[in-house]
Amino acid sequence: MSAPKSSFRPFRPSGAERSDRAAGDRTRHRQKVRESIRDNIADIVAEESIIGQDRDRVIKVPIRGIREYKFVYGDNTPNVGEGDEEVAEGQVIGRKPGTGQRPGKAGDQPGVDYYETDVTLDELVEIMFEDLQLPDLERKKLREVDAERQSKRKGYRSRGVRVHLDKRETVRAKLRRQLAAARGGGTGPADEDPERFTFHDSDLTFRHRVPETRPESNAAVICIMDTSGSMDTMKKYLARSFFFLLYQFIHTKYRRVEVAFVAHHTTAREVTEEEFFHKGEAGGTLISSGYQRALEIIEARYHPSLWNVYAFHCSDGDNFDSDNPAALRLAQELAATCNLFGYGEIKPLGTRHYESSMLGMFRRLEADNFQTVLIESREDVWPSFRALLAKDRAVK
Amino acid sequence: MAEAFDLADLHRWDDRIRERVAAFGLDCFPQEFEVCDHHQMLGYMAYSGMPSHYPHWSYGKSYEKLKTLYDYGVTGLPYEMVINSNPSIAYLMRDNSLLLQILTIAHVYGHNDFFKNNATFRGTRPEYVLATFKAQARRIRSYVEDPSIGVDEVESVLDAAHALAFQCRRNLAVRPATSAAGDDGAYRVPAAPDEDLLLFLRDHNPALSDWQRDLLSIVHETTQYFIPQIETKIMNEGWATFWHKRILDSIDLPDGLRLEFLVRHNQVVRPTPGSLNPYHLGLRIWERIAGVDGADQPVDPKVFAVREADRDTAFVRRHLDEELVRELNLFEFVERGDQIVVTRVADRDGWKQVRETLLRSIGTSSMPVIRVIDADYLGRRSLYLRHEHDGRDLSLEAAEKTLAYVYRLWQRDVVLETELRGKRRLLAFGSSGFADRALDTTTS
């Protein structure tokens, strides 16, 4: 008895395209990965050295919550393998790879409490700032900004380049001509086969595009950092983490925002982004110098009648006592000038009680748009960053 | 690939193969082959080969993983993917060479015969498999699209159900006890320790809604479909390999194809050092039973009886003897820290133990047995589960996370009795989270 003849279904390419059946589940999975990253962002910011890294750099991010658990045996469960040669008892035949595959099993085995995924810093930053906005962006005098490489449709033209050919409009033009010709009793151009009514050059219709300009608010961000000797490595690290977040955030969200960096100890100067994030300095602290310089920059380049100005300052608060009145006065002035003025005090745990603080001093400052945050450890960086940007919206 | 071929070629070779299949006495369901490309293949693989399957993010995850491994050349795609249905369906990747298509076709008939005749697959209702999966997919989609349920709710149940899916009866021939009266005459739930965790949760948690119960049934049914395959992996792959070898040896392959066949066949049955290749192990055991070591010898008809009656555990226990264990250089290993250490080799004293270890690591034996003991523990409607400890400890971390899923479905406190490092423990999961305490033996 021979089996009934088997059937062969040929390959259907259209079926192959349609059959991207996993698309929905893949999207859902990626969504879960993103959610998991977002939930763990405080840890990632605290643990990863993302500061000053290239935006294309790939970071390993732990993913929790989307592992699939089952009841399984623990690691000390014996297994059987086969060898191509004799092995002896007690012989070490290999190493367990970190998170990769163990012999004969899929990499999906338990043992590690979470698994990692690779994201580029760019993606990470995007996920981090998804729901944050610069507070109170006012529509000050708008400036016409060329939105780069963007254009919009504006009607049709009878001439144009091939890629702009609008097939639908072309066919309509031809149909119009055909109907008109029929009504007129003719059949179209005389040299043509009467059965066919062909396209004519005059039917060709092209989409017309004009470069787009759109108004955009002007915004400038002034980053002021204390680089005095009392800012030890840890404090600088925390301050830079904070500014790094701020800088990445602004870059992600606002293409046309200008950023100025001010580093100060007893004197202040404007520095480049590179210097700001990578260079250390030493000396005493005159906070007023930084504010003074910031006000000068604003005066010179970002007049508040035209610009939304944001100023952020990070310091350990260890200011010369004699400078405090001046600092307070200038802070008041900055708050009056800027949309938002934020002060972050870096006080690693344990140092709080024997060092002076500007927080108490700034408490006297009366301004709605002045915010202070206290950063005590790496874990605080992300929450205080969010607080700074979110608080103001709550006021609004 | 080397030579072009078309459907006519496939038909021609298929005719010759089927002629051999019939001559060898294999007994198959009607077979359908579908030619696909590697995208489709990845799609089929992610969904266990099913043409339709309900959606869940975990399949997207497995697709991504397969695709990454494939794109980076870490793994190739399997030559064969067969669905246990009637008619049986198999996929042929169009980018494969002609020889690989011939090899796959021959191999597929081996699986087909196995599906149709092995006792483990009785009750899989192969005529309805595709329709069942399709209907399940439709129901789950309707819950996802129902505005009063939605994808998050459905996933919440499916995530938990997937975690517990294999906590079910492994041998479907053994019927569960049905009487509700215990030895002492008192009514208890369950009457006897119950292994079908999902079904138990479905039937005994009155707070679940109908659609939640339906999801549990669906996941349970899906698992039931796969259990026979898991339970016969070594036999099934060995059987298909055994026959594809004999078929291809007897259909007069031209020299070029013949050479490629030898290469491919050896790749399939290559022992993987430090691990186990079921194709290789299965093939060697079948050859032992058939009393052959080459292609030309007559096959002992006993093989047909064995393929009908056995599952992997019986197959290995009965037919993997000392000589074969030694020939295959089987050994037992364990992970110590990050090292893999050989703990026992197949010498005169050790081979039996090596086989025992093997028996416990194949199929569902590699998964812990957990039974529902009491649905009203301490009179508080807590669920009392017991891990049937057989010398292997549970992974505590996985147990904690999985208990959370049981809690999600039971919606009341859940405890799991187990043994960790020689001590009885009671793992509990409830509204206040996870707790692990020593079990006071006087109360149990």
Side-chain angles (χ1 to χ4, degrees), chain A residues 132-159:
Chain A
L132 287 180
Q133 294 283 338
L134 269 184
D136 283 351
L137 201 59
E138 283 173 39
R139 295 219 133 198
K140 299 209 172 165
K141 190 176 170 220
L142 299 177
R143 144 177 95 155
E144 291 277 295
V145 180
D146 282 350
E148 286 157 55
R149 287 185 301 280
Q150 280 187 21
S151 55
K152 60 180 178 190
R153 299 260 303 263
K154 197 177 183 193
Y156 299 95
R157 293 283 189 278
S158 59
R159 281 159 197 277

Side-chain angles (χ1 to χ4, degrees), chain B residues 91 242 266 275 280 332 356:
Chain B
Y91 305 102
F242 179 80
N266 282 321
S275 168
H280 182 229
E332 181 191 286
E356 281 311 305

Side-chain angles (χ1 to χ4, degrees), chain B residues 180-438:
Chain B
D183 295 338
D184 47 5
Y187 185 85
R188 26 181 307 123
V189 175
D194 194 341
E195 271 182 76
D196 280 322
L197 191 48
L198 285 183
L199 295 188
F200 187 87
L201 293 167
R202 178 192 72 182
D203 295 339
H204 294 94
N205 179 5
L208 292 178
S209 21
D210 285 348
W211 64 267
Q212 289 172 316
R213 293 209 170 91
D214 191 28
L215 290 183
L216 300 188
S217 308
I218 288 174
V219 174
H220 176 78
E221 280 167 28
T222 309
T223 315
Q224 296 303 301
Y225 167 80
F226 290 111
I227 280 191
Q229 304 187 9
I230 295 168
E231 287 289 80
T232 57
K233 177 88 177 159
I234 296 170
M235 286 179 82
N236 202 344
E237 294 301 357
W239 182 254
T241 308
F242 179 80
W243 288 109
H244 84 221
K245 176 96 173 73
R246 300 186 77 76
I247 292 169
L248 266 74
D249 279 341
S250 63
I251 53 171
D252 296 325
L253 286 173
D255 282 349
L257 294 182
R258 165 121 208 103
L259 201 63
E260 195 191 340
F261 166 59
L262 291 176
V263 173
R264 294 295 187 185
H265 177 73
N266 282 321
Q267 282 172 353
V268 171
V269 300
R270 185 170 45 197
T272 37
S275 168
L276 261 191
N277 177 352
Y279 294 79
H280 182 229
L281 180 63
L283 175 69
R284 293 295 294 269
I285 299 178
W286 281 117
E287 283 179 351
R288 169 63 53 101
I289 300 168
V292 297
D293 49 14
D296 301 329
Q297 294 142 303
V299 173
D300 186 337
K302 189 167 77 177
V303 292
F304 291 103
V306 173
R307 77 98 152 77
E308 201 156 323
D310 279 357
R311 55 175 58 214
D312 273 353
T313 42
F315 182 68
V316 167
R317 180 169 284 125
R318 283 190 207 147
H319 303 290
L320 183 68
D321 54 20
E322 185 177 356
E323 201 183 329
L324 203 48
V325 169
R326 202 161 298 145
E327 264 177 46
L328 292 167
N329 266 324
L330 297 188
F331 59 85
E332 181 191 286
F333 67 85
V334 75
E335 282 167 12
R336 290 209 183 109
D338 63 344
Q339 290 183 329
I340 299 168
V341 183
V342 177
T343 45
R344 198 170 264 119
V345 294
D347 51 22
R348 204 146 49 85
D349 305 322
W351 77 271
K352 263 201 164 132
Q353 188 53 46
V354 171
R355 190 176 69 183
E356 281 311 305
T357 307
L358 173 62
L359 281 169
R360 295 197 335 184
S361 62
I362 54 181
T364 53
S365 312
S366 65
M367 304 168 194
V369 175
I370 286 164
R371 294 198 168 98
V372 182
I373 302 299
D374 192 356
D376 193 21
Y377 177 53
L378 301 178
R380 286 187 222 135
R381 221 176 79 78
S382 297
L383 189 66
Y384 193 98
L385 307 175
R386 188 174 65 211
H387 166 220
E388 307 295 348
H389 193 274
D390 59 358
R392 292 177 288 180
D393 286 359
L394 290 181
S395 149
L396 185 59
E397 191 227 343
E400 174 186 341
K401 300 284 202 278
T402 317
L403 270 183
Y405 287 129
V406 185
Y407 174 70
R408 186 186 290 177
L409 295 178
W410 183 245
Q411 297 164 334
R412 297 266 189 134
D413 291 2
V414 177
V415 293
L416 171 67
E417 177 192 331
T418 183
E419 192 179 312
L420 289 168
R421 297 202 181 79
K423 298 218 168 59
R424 306 298 298 165
R425 314 286 301 177
L426 205 57
L427 313 180
F429 200 100
S431 46
S432 51
F434 180 72
D436 166 18
R437 58 177 188 268

Side-chain angles (χ1 to χ4, degrees), chain A residues 5-7 9 21 25-26 28 30 32 68-69 72 74 79 81-83 90-91 93-94 96 102 104, chain B residues 15 32-35 47 50 61 64 109 152 155 163 274-275 277 280 331 333 335 338 340 342 393 395:
Chain A
K5 206 164 164 57
S6 302
S7 73
R9 247 171 292 156
R21 53 195 301 216
D25 287 339
R26 264 157 38 215
R28 186 73 189 152
R30 288 209 196 112
K32 286 187 107 70
E68 296 155 272
Y69 290 96
V72 288
N79 257 311
E82 58 189 328
Q91 190 181 333
I93 52 163
K96 188 168 101 180
R102 290 196 244 163
Chain B
D15 287 340
E32 289 174 9
F33 292 98
E34 188 174 320
V35 181
Y47 294 91
M50 286 302 163
K61 175 175 155 189
E64 302 262 23
Y109 285 118
D152 292 324
E155 272 181 4
S275 168
N277 177 352
H280 182 229
F331 59 85
F333 67 85
E335 282 167 12
D338 63 344
I340 299 168
V342 177
D393 286 359
S395 149

Side-chain angles (χ1 to χ4, degrees), chain A residues 66-288:
Chain A
I66 58 166
R67 265 197 46 155
E68 296 155 272
Y69 290 96
K70 292 179 167 58
F71 287 117
V72 288
Y73 290 121
D75 273 345
N76 60 350
T77 307
N79 257 311
V80 172
E82 58 189 328
D84 36 11
E85 59 197 25
E86 293 266 320
V87 289
E89 263 171 54
Q91 190 181 333
V92 176
I93 52 163
R95 283 182 180 281
K96 188 168 101 180
T99 50
Q101 282 153 309
R102 290 196 244 163
K105 291 184 178 177
D108 205 14
Q109 293 292 310
V112 214
D113 85 311
Y114 52 76
Y115 75 94
E116 293 182 327
T117 186
D118 290 346
V119 291
T120 63
L121 190 53
D122 224 8
E123 284 175 273
L124 184 64
V125 164
E126 192 195 315
I127 296 170
M128 285 159 82
F129 302 134
E130 239 168 20
D131 53 347
L132 287 180
Q133 294 283 338
L134 269 184
D136 283 351
L137 201 59
E138 283 173 39
R139 295 219 133 198
K140 299 209 172 165
K141 190 176 170 220
L142 299 177
R143 144 177 95 155
E144 291 277 295
V145 180
D146 282 350
E148 286 157 55
R149 287 185 301 280
Q150 280 187 21
S151 55
K152 60 180 178 190
R153 299 260 303 263
K154 197 177 183 193
Y156 299 95
R157 293 283 189 278
S158 59
R159 281 159 197 277
V161 290
R162 188 82 189 165
V163 287
H164 288 165
L165 180 70
D166 191 309
K167 290 178 188 139
R168 205 164 99 114
E169 287 303 317
T170 303
V171 170
R172 290 173 76 158
K174 183 202 142 190
L175 285 174
R176 266 198 299 274
R177 199 162 53 79
Q178 194 169 0
L179 286 173
R183 199 168 297 156
T187 56
D191 56 326
E192 275 181 20
D193 175 0
E195 293 295 305
R196 295 177 65 223
F197 196 90
T198 53
F199 284 99
H200 193 266
D201 270 352
S202 65
D203 296 334
L204 298 184
T205 310
F206 298 88
R207 287 185 293 269
H208 185 56
R209 306 191 74 89
V210 291
E212 191 187 345
T213 57
R214 59 192 170 85
E216 199 171 89
S217 302
N218 304 326
V221 174
I222 320 272
C223 299
I224 312 161
M225 180 160 59
D226 183 352
T227 54
S228 64
S230 65
M231 291 284 284
D232 58 25
T233 321
M234 183 62 185
K235 291 179 188 170
K236 274 186 198 148
Y237 172 80
L238 291 175
R240 283 182 178 142
S241 305
F242 186 83
F243 279 122
F244 182 75
L245 287 178
L246 187 69
Y247 181 66
Q248 293 296 344
F249 163 69
I250 289 163
H251 257 248
T252 313
K253 287 286 191 180
Y254 304 93
R255 198 141 43 110
R256 309 298 294 194
V257 166
E258 302 210 7
V259 188
F261 299 98
V262 175
H264 77 84
H265 34 97
T266 48
T267 58
R269 62 195 187 90
E270 195 178 349
V271 295
T272 63
E273 177 193 340
E274 175 71 17
E275 288 172 317
F276 190 77
F277 284 113
H278 294 283
K279 241 174 113 186
E281 290 190 50
T285 316
L286 288 179
I287 285 178
S288 62

Side-chain angles (χ1 to χ4, degrees), chain A residues 287-340:
Chain A
I287 285 178
S288 62
S289 69
Y291 294 171
Q292 185 61 48
R293 168 66 66 176
L295 283 168
E296 283 164 23
I297 291 171
I298 293 168
E299 178 66 30
R301 305 211 302 262
Y302 310 116
H303 195 274
S305 66
L306 296 173
W307 293 79
N308 289 291
V309 182
Y310 300 85
F312 297 95
H313 178 218
C314 272
S315 163
D316 58 357
D318 202 5
N319 199 21
F320 281 129
D321 285 344
S322 59
D323 183 50
N324 283 348
L328 190 61
R329 182 175 49 78
L330 289 167
Q332 187 89 52
E333 201 174 319
L334 262 179
T337 314
C338 300
N339 290 46
L340 177 71

